Amino acid sequence: MKRLLLSLASIGLLVFLWEWLYRSDIINLFYFPPPSQFITFLFEENFNLGLGPERQNIFVSIVASSLRVLIGLIFSFSLGLLIGMGIWSIPLVNSMMMPIVRLFAPIAPIAWIPLALAIFGIGNVSAVFLVFMGTFFILVIATIGALNSIDRNLINVAKTLGADSSQIWRHVIVPSIIPNVFTILRINFIGAWMAVLAAEMVGLRDGLGAIILIGRESSNPDLILVGMTLIGIVGFIFDAFLIKIQKRIFWWSHINI
Amino acid sequence: MESHQHISTEEVVLECKGIGLSYKSEHSEPVEAISNINLSVQRNEIVSVIGPSGCGKSSLLSVISGLQAPTKGHVIHEGKIVTQPSFKRSMVFQQPHLFPWANVYSNIEWGLKRRNVEKKKREEKVKRILSDIGLSKWAKSYPHELSVGMKMRVAVGRALAQHANLLLMDEPFAALDYQTRLLMQKFMLGDASKRTILLVTHSIDEALLADRVIVLSQRPGRIIDEVKVGLVKPIDPTAKKYIQLKTYLANKIQEEVMKSVNDDGSWPSAVRMKDVWKHSPVD
């Protein structure tokens, strides 16, 4: 509770300073309208932003961006785990595939934008593809790393308890590695989030990124700041949601037995 | 196999015939962990294996369990050659090694569930074991919420739930505090015990809770002595026979340890299970 109050207080202080600077004549903050102004603007526009045919409801934009990230992450998490386990369990495939995976992993999600637009055109598939490419290879590496450091003793215990090979995979190996891989997913979520927003600014005409672009094209600083604020808030909520999953579902990752 | 059951060997649960185990170490020549081990365990007999540290006691147990294939000889359990681990040879390891994502109840139930034992039977069994190990109230707790002693009790409970006819124990009580150790020893090895147990230990007191003590040499571990204990339980540690046995075993081990100290006074190299596992395939 104390921490929450402190967090709110620090954000409150930032907003207060911002408002005060805008109203004082110390510097010109025309392109930096404070919350009181751009939030009012949001209400005046009835939560519908943009011009002409591109005008759309703000909540639709939020849902559009979030879904793109979520679907991309679900794909990369499940496929990353599966492919990682496949690569790891066959030594020959392991030594053949790992160089390729490690070559692709450092390519930032944003770097895939031109290719994605060229291959899939402007649309949701491109956005999901970006999130996927930006996280998949890292998750494969994370899966293999987690498998390499798996506790052999748990496997031995399972064997002496009569478990067969597939049971060991399902009931020992997968629960052992999933929390670690999920942590890597969480860390890389921000990269994926950025990629989707960048894609929305470059090509896709909807989502939170597009709001900023429309703001720029129509020289409307209110619009730009609404977009930026929402990106921050939605990203924050997304991250909090992932932390919640980590703590509630995959809680045993940081516990040593 | 059938006829085998009816002749006089029926009482022999486990037999080791000329077992040897060597493994390759990364930085040295092949290491011989144990050599030419011949031993047998009768039904309802408790046999303890004792020896200097690093003599290959744990290696012997992992071979008997089937986790590790011997490089020489073979293990016969219930008349069949051991080729892989089985729930019929339950094992309690040095550390509890509980599944951290499963609560106490599920940890104990784990093996039964994998073998598709009927739900009602599982429930009965787990509940009885929980009460045996005094953890009924902790059924829903997770391993990280338990003390070391409690975790070890769960590990023992998990092994007991298997209904194995042979229990292999690898220094199971070494990490416990004195009080818990006494209780666990009484529970597992006490007079009421009707279990077939092969117990590896480095404590002479603990070894003397068995019916028979097998003494291993310095690495590579060979059997150098075998002592019938024959003490009345509960054991009186002031009894003359107890003190005699204890002194005898202590001298035996000390002799063995001193034999292996190198001429330059440096310590002998020991078998480390970490190395043994490293050089065996996962599956």
Side-chain angles (χ1 to χ4, degrees):
Chain A
M1 197 60 204
K2 200 178 164 192
R3 265 184 63 187
L4 181 72
L5 283 175
L6 274 173
S7 318
L8 288 175
S10 79
I11 293 169
L13 187 68
L14 177 76
V15 171
F16 175 80
L17 275 174
W18 191 355
E19 297 275 352
W20 175 73
L21 269 176
Y22 185 77
R23 281 166 177 69
S24 72
D25 278 332
I26 304 171
I27 42 171
N28 184 358
L29 278 182
F30 177 75
Y31 289 108
F32 246 108
S36 65
Q37 186 172 325
F38 66 74
I39 290 174
T40 314
F41 168 77
L42 192 58
F43 276 91
E44 278 168 1
E45 294 289 310
N46 214 4
F47 296 98
N48 290 308
L49 300 175
L51 300 165
E54 282 172 353
R55 191 173 173 83
Q56 60 172 304
N57 189 279
I58 192 83
F59 299 107
V60 175
S61 302
I62 293 174
V63 171
S65 298
S66 305
L67 272 182
R68 285 167 185 154
V69 175
L70 193 67
I71 292 169
L73 289 181
I74 290 172
F75 269 112
S76 65
F77 186 63
S78 38
L79 275 175
L81 268 175
L82 271 177
I83 304 280
M85 292 194 289
I87 289 179
W88 183 77
S89 47
I90 308 164
L92 181 71
V93 177
N94 194 352
S95 36
M96 280 179 64
M97 291 295 290
M98 269 321 266
I100 299 174
V101 171
R102 288 172 60 188
L103 205 64
F104 275 90
I107 300 175
I110 292 172
W112 287 99
I113 292 176
L115 264 186
L117 293 179
I119 299 171
F120 299 106
I122 292 170
N124 285 326
V125 183
S126 283
V128 172
F129 172 79
L130 284 176
V131 176
F132 180 80
M133 291 309 261
T135 47
F136 171 73
F137 298 104
I138 293 163
L139 290 174
V140 170
I141 293 177
T143 303
I144 291 170
L147 286 166
N148 282 337
S149 61
I150 204 164
D151 185 358
R152 274 214 70 109
N153 292 303
L154 288 185
I155 295 176
N156 282 340
V157 166
K159 284 181 183 171
T160 63
L161 292 175
D164 62 32
S165 189
S166 95
Q167 289 174 328
I168 289 174
W169 271 99
R170 278 180 292 141
H171 299 285
V172 183
I173 297 180
V174 169
S176 292
I177 63 168
I178 265 199
N180 300 334
V181 180
F182 191 82
T183 305
I184 304 292
L185 172 90
R186 220 204 93 211
I187 293 166
N188 286 286
F189 150 73
I190 293 184
W193 181 235
M194 287 181 192
V196 163
L197 297 169
E200 286 168 352
M201 292 176 74
V202 179
L204 308 175
R205 299 303 291 188
D206 59 358
L208 293 173
I211 292 179
I212 295 179
L213 190 77
I214 297 165
R216 199 199 72 159
E217 285 169 349
S218 57
S219 304
N220 186 346
D222 287 334
L223 208 49
I224 296 174
L225 277 155
V226 165
M228 287 173 73
T229 309
L230 283 175
I231 287 168
I233 293 172
V234 175
F236 178 85
I237 292 171
F238 227 111
D239 190 45
F241 170 67
L242 293 177
I243 292 177
K244 199 99 189 157
I245 292 183
Q246 196 176 10
K247 282 190 176 159
R248 292 291 290 276
I249 305 179
F250 303 131
W251 52 267
W252 63 89
S253 60
H254 52 280
I255 289 165
N256 280 315
I257 296 296
Chain B
M1 272 321 141
E2 283 300 309
S3 62
H4 210 88
Q5 303 277 316
H6 299 288
I7 45 177
S8 61
T9 55
E10 192 193 278
E11 285 303 290
V12 176
V13 176
L14 177 84
E15 252 185 302
C16 295
K17 290 193 165 168
I19 287 179
L21 176 70
S22 307
Y23 63 91
K24 277 206 188 98
S25 179
E26 241 166 90
H27 306 295
S28 62
E29 295 294 291
V31 176
E32 204 179 2
I34 47 176
S35 162
N36 196 27
I37 303 273
N38 291 292
L39 69 85
S40 68
V41 180
Q42 313 276 316
R43 194 172 306 283
N44 292 335
E45 187 185 27
I46 300 177
V47 176
S48 56
V49 176
I50 195 166
S53 53
C55 72
K57 299 187 292 277
S58 295
S59 302
L60 173 64
L61 223 49
S62 77
V63 167
I64 292 173
S65 73
L67 285 170
Q68 190 80 37
T71 33
K72 274 182 197 151
H74 47 253
V75 179
I76 299 167
H77 177 217
E78 294 275 286
K80 286 179 191 148
I81 292 182
V82 168
T83 54
Q84 56 179 28
S86 160
F87 66 91
K88 289 175 184 157
R89 291 181 300 281
S90 270
M91 179 128 169
V92 181
F93 295 78
Q94 279 182 34
Q95 304 293 324
H97 299 310
L98 302 179
F99 300 113
W101 52 83
N103 63 22
V104 169
Y105 187 97
S106 309
N107 260 288
I108 295 174
E109 190 193 30
W110 204 89
L112 303 174
K113 210 170 174 182
R114 297 293 89 80
R115 301 206 310 277
N116 295 321
V117 174
E118 211 182 303
K119 190 169 188 228
K120 222 177 153 194
K121 278 189 183 165
R122 290 202 309 256
E123 230 177 82
E124 260 169 46
K125 184 101 199 176
V126 176
K127 278 188 177 152
R128 203 175 64 237
I129 281 175
L130 278 170
S131 104
D132 279 350
I133 58 173
L135 289 177
S136 296
K137 281 185 187 159
W138 300 82
K140 291 212 166 78
S141 302
Y142 283 86
H144 71 275
E145 297 166 319
L146 307 178
S147 70
V148 183
M150 288 159 105
K151 280 184 219 168
M152 206 64 225
R153 270 143 77 189
V154 178
V156 168
R158 182 171 62 180
L160 289 178
Q162 298 309 302
H163 208 78
N165 53 24
L166 175 64
L167 194 55
L168 306 170
M169 304 183 91
D170 187 1
E171 296 191 25
F173 310 134
L176 301 182
D177 60 273
Y178 180 71
Q179 189 189 331
T180 317
R181 184 159 61 235
L182 279 188
L183 288 170
M184 288 294 281
Q185 286 171 343
K186 191 170 159 49
F187 171 57
M188 292 304 296
L189 315 166
D191 45 352
S193 172
K194 272 274 178 284
R195 297 190 179 100
T196 314
I197 298 176
L198 186 64
L199 170 79
V200 158
T201 176
H202 63 239
S203 148
I204 296 173
D205 289 305
E206 191 166 283
L208 284 172
L209 293 169
D211 302 309
R212 196 146 50 91
V213 181
I214 285 166
V215 186
L216 289 193
S217 69
Q218 192 57 246
R219 202 196 76 198
R222 287 164 288 111
I223 296 178
I224 49 167
D225 206 347
E226 199 178 318
V227 178
K228 273 218 174 282
V229 179
L231 291 167
V232 183
K233 286 185 181 178
I235 283 170
D236 170 15
T238 60
K240 200 176 164 197
K241 188 172 181 204
Y242 182 85
I243 295 168
Q244 273 176 350
L245 278 170
K246 195 175 165 177
T247 317
Y248 176 80
L249 287 172
N251 285 337
K252 198 86 198 173
I253 290 167
Q254 196 184 344
E255 217 176 85
E256 194 56 33
V257 170
M258 295 324 282
K259 224 189 272 176
S260 66
V261 173
N262 300 331
D263 291 337
D264 61 357
S266 62
W267 286 18
S269 58
V271 176
R272 294 176 310 161
M273 288 313 282
K274 221 172 66 188
D275 290 331
V276 177
W277 295 136
K278 210 187 303 175
H279 300 286
S280 65
V282 171
D283 238 326

